[in-house]
Amino acid sequence: MKLVPVPPGVDVIACSTCHRRGDPRDAAQGPAGARLLAALREAQAGQASTGMAVRAMPCLFACAEACTVHLRAPGKIGYVLGRFRPDAATAQAILTFAAHYAASETGEVAFAVWPEAVKGHFLTRTPPEGFLVA
């Protein structure tokens, strides 16, 4: 394993190696995680710059919950979401949630503005370094 430095900011990190169990497209079209990453990058390319970075990481260790993404930013609560379909609608929903996340001081996003496609997909929330959630 090699750690690669990246500039601080809002990151949407997609597991690039996720496989969806029993999904025959994994063999024909590549891992579902790579397909979700491609959909995220394509959706982001069609938007005005938001200052968010879509990044790839091989294996987020959430294999049973494929496809997974980690949302993080300095000083904010982080989230790991999973069990997604690797498609354009999912990618857009993730980026919409991430935009609300980026605008939030703490990373909390009001449930009322969550896109339907992210509801039920949260696996964990993680406190920022040096903090706990009270």
Side-chain angles (χ1 to χ4, degrees):
M1 177 177 71
K2 177 182 175 187
L3 293 177
V4 177
V6 295
V10 177
D11 289 326
V12 178
I13 302 168
C15 177
S16 60
T17 57
C18 277
H19 290 275
R20 291 178 53 147
R21 294 173 201 239
D23 189 339
R25 291 173 295 181
D26 277 8
Q29 299 172 10
R35 296 194 319 267
L36 179 58
L37 175 63
L40 285 163
R41 288 182 170 158
E42 186 174 325
Q44 186 183 40
Q47 298 177 348
S49 177
T50 60
M52 288 185 287
V54 173
R55 302 186 191 281
M57 183 170 144
C59 200
L60 289 174
F61 279 30
C63 302
E65 309 298 342
C67 296
T68 57
V69 296
H70 178 207
L71 186 56
R72 70 175 185 187
K76 295 185 182 198
I77 296 167
Y79 298 98
V80 177
L81 299 90
R83 300 182 303 270
F84 286 118
R85 289 187 318 272
D87 59 28
T90 297
Q92 187 56 60
I94 291 167
L95 292 179
T96 297
F97 181 84
H100 290 298
Y101 172 84
S104 166
E105 184 178 326
T106 63
E108 279 189 294
V109 176
F111 184 78
V113 298
W114 290 14
E116 268 312 304
V118 301
K119 292 178 180 176
H121 291 271
F122 288 81
L123 305 177
T124 68
R125 68 178 182 161
T126 56
E129 184 177 353
F131 295 90
L132 289 176
V133 176

